Amino acid sequence: MKTFPQPGVLTLLASIVITCLLLFLFQKMIWFVVPFLLALMLCYCLRPAVSFLMVRGMSHEAAASAVWLLLQITAVVALIAGAFWAMAEAGAWRGDFSHYVSGGQNLIVNSIALIEKKVPPLQEMNLSAQAEQWLGQSSDRFIEKNLLPLTLLALKWLPSILLVPYLAYFMLIDAGRLKKYLIKSVPNAFFERALLLFSRLDESLQSYFQGLLQLTLLDAFFLALGLAALGIHHAIWLGLVTAMLAWIPYIGSLFGAILVVIIAATDFPEKAGVAYACLALFAGVRILDDLVFLPLTIGRKLHFHPVLSVLMLFLGATVAGTTGLVLVLPLFGVVAVVSESVAQVINDPKLKARYKVSRQLAVVAVSKSLQ
């Protein structure tokens, strides 16, 4: 495995501080950061296909355009098919939604009743009856209260999501051109360092997405295996969906766990232990993620120490909440590479001397041209 020199303490602290400041800034412009990140992920996913066509003799622009066009056609066909399928199943979904909501309510009420039996003083409070009444009222008003806000939220994010294919296309087409443009602005004394910096930035981002894919596959495998062992239907699909929800650390896993627990409580109404086992399964996979899987996949791909990976997740959540959880590791990887490169330039006397000499030669050349 290719190794890089480890940054010093001051460089590492500067990287952490800069990452936290950028997270705070990105939280204020999340409407642009999310589509940019999705477009970047899509670009790295499509890059192998572009390279394959280029090896077969196509130009870079033609290959990128062909891959992007094929992706758009596939997306449009899938969207149209999904829309027709959703309209055909809309009535059944509404009934299924009410059915599974009732299953989740019964689990909560039965769990509270079980606790009351184990703790006699709680029986006088009649918590199970109060919970049943409150849940019934809340579920009846849930759609009426949240349908309009959810619709407005979707419309608010629609323009940002539509930016994703647009940004991904120009990333595929103009990434090399942008790199050359940026390198031209770098003084010749730092040309080699600039090339190394761009190479490491590209490798850092690609490594993050590879690590994220590995983490998703590990989560999906263990969740599907556990759900199948518990007898949950469609265990593979539920494992894959909940693993993808885990791209939003902690919160995504919580939503996935609630989804599966509700399904288990509805499909096995007389076996509350199955729902509790599903909850324990998600808690176990969550612990494995934080302590084993995440440091060994994303952390190793980005050359982070496992303790540093977990620390940055906590810092990201503290500074920017959910946004920080999602962005902290790729952002810290980029900032660490840039900070280390800048530190190497500052601490390299040969590079500084070369830059000083090049400036003096430029002044001499201008003086001669004016004579």
Side-chain angles (χ1 to χ4, degrees):
M1 182 179 66
K2 186 177 180 180
T3 59
F4 298 105
Q6 295 299 314
V9 176
L10 292 178
T11 303
L12 185 60
L13 289 176
S15 300
I16 293 175
V17 172
I18 293 172
T19 300
C20 292
L21 291 175
L22 289 176
L23 284 176
F24 180 78
L25 176 63
F26 287 168
Q27 188 183 22
K28 305 299 180 181
M29 47 186 299
I30 189 65
W31 58 270
F32 178 75
V33 174
V34 169
F36 182 83
L37 186 63
L38 292 175
L40 193 62
M41 182 185 299
L42 186 60
C43 178
Y44 278 106
C45 291
L46 296 178
R47 182 184 287 183
V50 175
S51 300
F52 176 81
L53 293 179
M54 290 176 63
V55 171
R56 296 300 185 273
M58 295 182 66
S59 65
H60 174 73
E61 291 189 1
S65 299
V67 170
W68 184 83
L69 182 60
L70 179 62
L71 176 67
Q72 299 310 303
I73 294 175
T74 304
V76 170
V77 171
L79 185 63
I80 294 175
F84 280 109
W85 178 65
M87 288 187 293
E89 299 291 334
W93 284 355
R94 185 176 182 86
D96 290 341
F97 178 79
S98 301
H99 178 60
Y100 283 110
V101 168
S102 298
Q105 292 175 352
N106 291 334
L107 176 65
I108 295 174
V109 173
N110 293 335
S111 299
I112 296 176
L114 181 62
I115 295 175
E116 288 180 340
K117 290 181 180 179
K118 300 294 183 180
V119 185
L122 294 179
Q123 294 180 1
E124 299 178 359
M125 301 176 63
N126 201 17
L127 293 177
S128 58
Q130 296 180 16
E132 185 175 7
Q133 182 181 1
W134 180 81
L135 288 172
Q137 295 175 353
S138 300
S139 62
D140 292 338
R141 294 179 297 179
F142 177 81
I143 297 179
E144 297 178 1
K145 291 177 60 177
N146 294 280
L147 181 59
L148 181 59
L150 290 176
T151 303
L152 293 177
L153 181 62
L155 292 176
K156 178 182 177 181
W157 275 95
L158 183 60
S160 296
I161 298 302
L162 291 177
L163 279 175
V164 173
Y166 180 80
L167 292 174
Y169 174 74
F170 284 102
M171 285 179 182
L172 285 172
I173 293 291
D174 295 328
R177 193 177 305 168
L178 177 61
K179 180 179 177 181
K180 292 179 181 178
Y181 175 77
L182 293 175
I183 290 179
K184 285 182 179 178
S185 62
V186 177
N188 289 332
F190 308 126
F191 182 76
E192 294 86 353
R193 293 288 183 179
L195 285 178
L196 178 62
L197 173 62
F198 281 107
S199 175
R200 289 190 58 188
L201 285 176
D202 184 69
E203 182 177 348
S204 178
L205 291 171
Q206 184 173 351
S207 296
Y208 170 75
F209 293 124
Q210 289 177 350
L212 182 63
L213 179 60
Q214 291 178 0
L215 179 64
T216 303
L217 292 177
L218 279 173
D219 283 350
F221 173 77
F222 281 97
L223 288 172
L225 186 65
L227 293 174
L230 292 172
I232 305 298
H233 300 295
H234 308 296
I236 296 178
W237 289 110
L238 285 175
L240 182 59
V241 169
T242 51
M244 293 177 65
L245 284 174
W247 288 358
I248 306 175
Y250 300 106
I251 296 178
S253 297
L254 178 61
F255 288 158
I258 292 174
L259 173 65
V260 173
V261 167
I262 290 176
I263 292 175
T266 305
D267 292 343
F268 301 92
E270 303 299 329
K271 298 180 180 179
V274 176
Y276 299 146
C278 290
L279 191 59
L281 171 67
F282 273 83
V285 172
R286 179 72 265 169
I287 294 173
L288 286 175
D289 268 354
D290 292 341
L291 301 181
V292 180
F293 294 157
L294 192 146
L296 290 180
T297 53
I298 295 178
R300 177 173 291 180
K301 285 287 186 179
L302 294 178
H303 311 288
F304 292 163
H305 192 278
V307 175
L308 183 60
S309 301
V310 176
L311 174 63
M312 291 308 300
L313 281 173
F314 281 104
L315 283 177
T318 303
V319 173
T322 306
T323 305
L325 284 171
V326 175
L327 298 179
V328 63
L329 287 180
L331 183 60
F332 181 65
V334 171
V335 172
V337 170
V338 175
S339 300
E340 183 183 340
S341 299
V342 172
Q344 290 176 359
V345 170
I346 293 175
N347 296 322
D348 192 334
K350 293 182 179 179
L351 284 178
K352 291 191 289 187
R354 187 193 301 177
Y355 177 68
K356 185 177 180 180
V357 171
S358 66
R359 292 294 301 269
Q360 293 173 350
L361 292 176
V363 172
V364 171
V366 171
S367 300
K368 288 182 178 180
S369 67
L370 295 177
Q371 292 177 357

